[in-house]
Amino acid sequence: QKEVEQDPGPLSVPEGAIVSLNCTYSNSAFQYFMWYRQYSRKGPELLMYTYSSGNKEDGRFTAQVDKSSKYISLFIRDSQPSDSATYLCALSNSGNTPLVFGKGTRLSVIA
Amino acid sequence: KAGVTQTPRYLIKTRGQQVTLSCSPISGHRSVSWYQQTPGQGLQFLFEYFSETQRNKGNFPGRFSGRQFSNSRSEMNVSTLELGDSALYLCASSLEGKLHEQFFGPGTRLTVL
């Protein structure tokens, strides 16, 4: 079983839709849960991170962590064509341990 | 504040050659990590340097090596290149103890022929 599983998509939604992106993981030691956005031919850009469980909101983006189910989600409200990118989840045990990435979900928001 | 810079952006090499990639972190960031990104395997951690010392290492063969200089700039080297080494090599920097807040450079696209 891979440490982090992420559906590669592609996921295509109309502009204005609510998007749900998810990852599952197997290592219960993970404490930090990150979401990165990567545009074509660019490096990943950190959107937000959550420590331990719970929700975190930043503008149109909401991250959720359910440690009991080993399941994390990123919700994008009022999606825009500029949100079209690959979204990567990343997890780590601590601030000093390397990140383990999901393979990314490719999202297309159609105007 | 300038972001993470990587040079060169594109590189074409042939099998058996070696290559050196360079990374300049964000000013004040002393931790530098390297990743390999391929369509099949995704983003995989290579190694992390902090204060010129390798602190974490991923599961890659010894052909992959790196170093960090006193100004926090880092280089990675791949010797005896194989076709499978073709990938986007990404560098990321962060403050100490903040690997969960890494900032990535644009990457170096390496093609091995």
Side-chain angles (χ1 to χ4, degrees):
Chain A
Q1 182 184 10
K2 288 187 181 293
E3 276 197 291
V4 181
E5 301 269 13
Q6 185 175 12
D7 187 334
L11 181 61
S12 185
V13 301
E15 183 177 358
I18 296 175
V19 176
S20 172
L21 304 165
N22 312 292
C23 288
T24 59
Y25 63 94
S26 58
N27 185 351
S28 58
F30 288 136
Q31 294 285 352
Y32 286 93
F33 306 91
M34 283 66 69
W35 286 97
Y36 282 84
R37 177 175 64 195
Q38 185 174 23
Y39 291 114
S40 181
R41 302 187 184 279
K42 302 280 190 181
E45 169 195 10
L46 179 64
L47 288 173
M48 58 202 310
Y49 77 88
T50 307
Y51 174 72
S52 193
S53 284
N55 296 356
K56 189 171 186 178
E57 188 173 319
D58 184 0
R60 297 184 294 110
F61 298 88
T62 300
Q64 285 187 354
V65 175
D66 182 348
K67 294 186 75 176
S68 62
S69 302
K70 298 189 179 67
Y71 188 87
I72 65 172
S73 302
L74 177 71
F75 296 95
I76 307 175
R77 291 183 300 280
D78 188 25
S79 56
Q80 303 295 310
S82 59
D83 295 328
S84 298
T86 296
Y87 289 80
L88 300 139
C89 63
L91 297 78
S92 70
N93 295 3
S94 75
N96 286 312
T97 51
L99 307 187
V100 179
F101 279 85
K103 289 194 175 182
T105 299
R106 179 173 289 183
L107 170 67
S108 291
V109 181
I110 311 300
Chain B
K1 186 184 270 191
V4 177
T5 58
Q6 291 187 245
T7 57
R9 292 293 312 277
Y10 302 92
L11 210 47
I12 299 175
K13 292 286 188 179
T14 56
R15 278 183 299 173
Q17 288 187 309
Q18 74 165 19
V19 67
T20 299
L21 312 181
S22 182
C23 171
S24 292
I26 291 171
S27 177
H29 286 190
R30 294 166 62 195
S31 171
V32 175
S33 298
W34 288 90
Y35 296 84
Q36 181 195 66
Q37 187 174 33
T38 60
Q41 298 300 317
L43 257 164
Q44 294 186 286
F45 172 75
L46 282 157
F47 27 68
E48 183 228 350
Y49 285 87
F50 178 79
S51 288
E52 302 178 66
T53 301
Q54 186 180 89
R55 194 161 60 173
N56 290 293
K57 188 178 188 306
N59 188 27
F60 277 81
R63 300 185 297 107
F64 293 82
S65 62
R67 60 177 174 168
Q68 186 180 33
F69 303 95
S70 58
N71 61 359
S72 296
R73 192 177 67 84
S74 178
E75 289 180 347
M76 68 163 282
N77 184 276
V78 188
S79 63
T80 319
L81 284 166
E82 300 177 359
L83 295 179
D85 296 334
S86 294
L88 181 66
Y89 289 88
L90 291 156
C91 166
S93 74
S94 70
L95 296 170
E96 182 182 7
K98 298 277 191 180
L99 292 187
H100 53 283
E101 288 186 277
Q102 291 185 3
F103 294 85
F104 281 82
T108 294
R109 172 76 60 184
L110 172 65
T111 301
V112 182
L113 302 177

